[in-house]
Amino acid sequence: MDYIFEEVRIKRSNAPRFVLNGEEVDIWDKELIDYHSKSVSEYVREKLLEFEKRGLDPFEEIIGKEKEKEMVKTALMSGSNILFKGKKGYGKTTFSKAISKLLPDKILAIKGCRIHDDPTQPTCFSCKKKLLEEDEVELVFVPKKWIRIAGDPMMTTRQLIGGISLQKIKEGYELDHPEVFTPGRILKAHRGIAYFDELGSIPSALQTLLHELLEERQVTTPEGDIVPMKIDTLVIASTNPANYKGVSDIKEPLLDRMEQIDIGPPESIEHEIAIGLRNMALDGSIIPEWHLKIIASAVRCMRSSNCRYSARIEVEPSCRATIKAFDHVAASAMRNGRKAVMFADYGRDFANLSLALKSRFEVDYEEELSKDEVVREVVNDAIDTVCGEIYAAIPRSIFGGMMEELSEIGEINVYSENGIEKYKNLWAFVSSICRRREEVSSALEITLESVARCTGLLERREVGVYEYLAYDR
């Protein structure tokens, strides 16, 4: 049985018969040669070079982050593990999933193996025994693997590494018996990607075991026995900044085996909007450009030192706040039968935006400064800014005509106004900022709101209702 603990390599000359889907196969034929015997790093490197040759971005789902993408490609080409460091909600998990796309869609594995061992270089005891003692070994195709391992201070050795009972082996149990070998989460990532979500939250003692497994390719049991476990996995980990709430340390030897890449918030409001739209759960309601800018600007303001509440905000909202705010206003529009979002969809006192933001930022001394107040103020500031841009875009050549038309109308309800086309100047501007016919009511509303906020010639009586003020009634 000693050979079970030794390195085993299977070649054509010493291979058993391999059976796939009930038929004997030669795994070294050109149809199957690319599905085994290569390491995870080799597969990733080959795919990256293929993207480079074709001039394509291997991480197209990541919006922006060009510098970070280049660092990731360099680290992967050199076979390095990666640690993404940044605040929550900025795409660390998305980046790790994007990396997994570089793996082949499927690989050949020994049928029944719980870690999907390679038929030419087995790791688990059961597969070594099969390949060395049996005349026929069944194979199966398994899909690419991306195994998420959530950081948990209560994680046990058995959960992370697995359970190996040498005593059961000595008692004569079969090596693939559940009482002999139960693979943990990291072993299940064999021949795939192990994504550690908040690596520092794993207990210090287990970080030591993890370092030993990845670096020395072995595990030391609590009894002091050394068991070789030469797993092949690419480790992608994430952690928050050191001063972030609830962050634990990563042991230095483990940190030294990883390349740290910092991941920050979206570089521009355009990137913020693109991320929000791409990740929305809802599809069907149009969010016009002005509402996209208002919502994204409000969220970005809360991350900025220029925000009036910057000194009070302890935890800033992430991109998830933008995504859910888009979802909530779109949901409101859908519920109310509107094809495009309008100010009413922000909710009373911006309640729908508060719903998206309140659980995603923290303020100090909340009893003195409520989160609802912060949301109201930053959203109002964002509306002021966007309305200023809309007002500045009104051509001076038609502004006077627009005001004459509005004085003629007197009071206008944007939710019921269907005859706007007959007002030449007003219609000229409103239609110019629409991308789709469905946005007309929303475009009229933002135009009137902009004039009201920037000139005082209009007053909003209630949501969607405006009255002209610049004449004696």
Side-chain angles (χ1 to χ4, degrees):
M1 298 291 286
D2 290 342
Y3 65 76
I4 295 302
F5 300 95
E6 297 176 0
E7 185 173 340
V8 172
R9 287 291 178 267
I10 301 299
K11 300 177 181 178
R12 224 174 198 155
S13 57
N14 67 343
R17 290 192 306 277
F18 287 118
V19 175
L20 177 65
N21 297 326
E23 296 183 2
E24 185 174 349
V25 293
D26 182 352
I27 64 172
W28 287 275
D29 277 353
K30 62 180 181 179
E31 291 82 6
L32 298 175
I33 189 65
D34 288 331
Y35 297 109
H36 63 86
S37 300
K38 293 180 182 178
S39 68
V40 172
S41 290
E42 286 173 323
Y43 280 124
V44 167
R45 192 178 297 120
E46 287 178 1
K47 197 67 174 180
L48 276 175
L49 290 174
E50 181 183 323
F51 273 101
E52 293 281 349
K53 186 176 180 180
R54 297 165 60 191
L56 299 176
D57 181 2
F59 310 121
E60 62 179 0
E61 57 268 74
I62 306 298
I63 296 171
K65 307 291 183 213
E66 298 305 321
K67 177 183 175 183
E68 291 82 353
K69 288 179 183 180
E70 289 301 313
M71 289 192 287
V72 168
K73 287 188 278 187
T74 299
L76 294 175
M77 284 295 295
S78 63
S80 302
N81 297 315
I82 295 173
L83 174 66
F84 288 123
K85 189 173 186 178
K87 295 178 180 178
K88 64 180 181 180
Y90 288 152
K92 301 187 293 292
T93 301
T94 302
F95 226 136
S96 78
K97 289 181 177 178
I99 292 171
S100 72
K101 292 200 326 180
L102 299 173
L103 296 174
D105 290 333
K106 61 183 181 180
I107 51 176
L108 274 175
I110 297 171
K111 188 173 183 178
C113 178
R114 281 166 289 176
I115 64 171
H116 302 132
D117 242 335
D118 190 298
T120 67
Q121 37 196 11
T123 287
C124 83
F125 313 133
S126 174
C127 289
K128 289 179 180 180
K129 180 183 179 184
K130 280 183 181 180
L131 290 166
L132 293 175
E133 294 186 357
E134 296 183 12
D135 295 329
E136 183 178 288
V137 175
E138 283 194 77
L139 304 180
V140 66
F141 276 117
V142 295
K144 68 178 66 175
K145 292 198 282 184
W146 179 86
I147 305 297
R148 183 176 192 151
I149 304 170
D152 180 0
M154 303 303 291
M155 184 179 289
T156 65
T157 303
R158 190 176 187 87
Q159 289 172 330
L160 179 63
I161 306 294
I164 303 166
S165 174
L166 297 181
Q167 181 60 39
K168 293 293 182 182
I169 294 174
K170 294 173 184 176
E171 292 175 8
Y173 279 75
E174 289 294 324
L175 293 169
D176 58 353
H177 194 283
E179 290 188 41
V180 175
F181 173 57
T182 304
R185 296 171 191 174
I186 183 64
L187 296 187
K188 289 178 181 178
H190 179 50
R191 304 180 73 199
I193 289 177
Y195 175 59
F196 286 86
D197 192 357
E198 192 46 59
L199 180 60
S201 293
I202 292 176
S204 179
L206 294 192
Q207 289 188 37
T208 301
L209 280 181
L210 182 61
H211 168 247
E212 182 184 23
L213 178 66
L214 298 176
E215 184 70 14
E216 309 298 335
R217 305 289 183 175
Q218 67 183 33
V219 175
T220 303
T221 68
E223 294 78 22
D225 296 301
I226 295 177
V227 181
M229 292 299 296
K230 297 190 177 182
I231 70 165
D232 174 29
T233 186
L234 174 63
V235 172
I236 309 293
S238 70
T239 189
N240 292 315
N243 60 349
Y244 206 71
K245 189 175 181 180
V247 171
S248 304
D249 290 333
I250 300 172
K251 288 182 73 72
E252 219 171 278
L254 187 56
L255 195 60
D256 191 43
R257 269 67 182 182
M258 311 186 84
E259 311 303 327
Q260 178 179 313
I261 298 175
D262 295 334
I263 302 292
E267 295 95 330
S268 67
I269 190 170
E270 291 77 16
H271 289 167
E272 184 98 28
I273 290 171
I275 291 169
L277 290 174
R278 178 175 289 185
N279 292 281
M280 284 180 64
L282 285 179
D283 185 21
S285 293
I286 298 167
I287 308 179
E289 181 181 359
W290 40 92
H291 288 302
L292 294 172
K293 290 182 72 173
I294 288 168
I295 294 169
S297 294
V299 175
R300 290 176 67 80
C301 174
M302 294 173 71
R303 304 182 197 136
S304 169
S305 59
N306 296 324
C307 176
R308 68 170 78 180
Y309 298 111
S310 60
R312 304 294 302 275
I313 295 175
E314 292 185 322
V315 177
E316 64 189 38
S318 69
C319 297
R320 293 194 189 104
T322 306
I323 295 165
K324 295 317 297 179
F326 287 177
D327 270 329
H328 295 338
V329 296
S332 174
M334 190 179 297
R335 288 173 57 209
N336 288 281
R338 288 188 282 272
K339 293 183 178 179
V341 166
M342 301 181 74
F343 279 122
D345 298 311
Y346 287 23
R348 186 186 298 272
D349 292 327
F350 306 142
N352 290 336
L353 301 185
S354 288
L355 180 64
L357 282 160
K358 283 175 67 176
S359 64
R360 294 180 171 91
F361 79 101
E362 297 294 338
V363 296
D364 61 357
Y365 306 109
E366 190 175 344
E367 65 276 5
E368 298 176 7
L369 177 67
S370 74
K371 292 183 179 181
D372 287 321
E373 179 184 346
V374 174
V375 172
R376 284 195 299 270
E377 293 301 321
V378 296
V379 172
N380 257 316
D381 288 347
I383 294 173
D384 280 342
T385 299
V386 173
C387 283
E389 294 171 358
I390 296 285
Y391 177 74
I394 300 173
R396 297 303 96 181
S397 59
I398 69 169
F399 183 76
M402 282 179 58
M403 294 304 101
E404 289 180 9
E405 291 165 351
L406 289 171
S407 69
E408 178 185 338
I409 298 169
E411 184 177 276
I412 182 169
N413 187 329
V414 300
Y415 296 100
S416 60
E417 180 58 47
N418 297 317
I420 184 177
E421 291 91 338
K422 69 183 180 182
Y423 299 102
K424 180 180 69 173
N425 296 290
L426 185 58
W427 173 247
F429 182 70
V430 168
S431 60
S432 73
I433 64 174
C434 289
R435 292 183 178 178
R436 288 156 284 203
R437 175 69 191 182
E438 294 86 351
E439 294 180 353
V440 168
S441 293
S442 186
L444 175 60
E445 182 181 43
I446 195 67
T447 299
L448 299 178
E449 184 70 23
S450 299
V451 172
R453 288 185 179 237
C454 296
T455 70
L457 295 175
L458 294 177
E459 182 180 69
R460 184 169 68 174
R461 296 298 192 191
E462 57 184 275
V463 177
V465 179
Y466 295 84
E467 184 177 12
Y468 186 75
L469 298 179
Y471 62 89
D472 293 326
R473 301 203 58 184

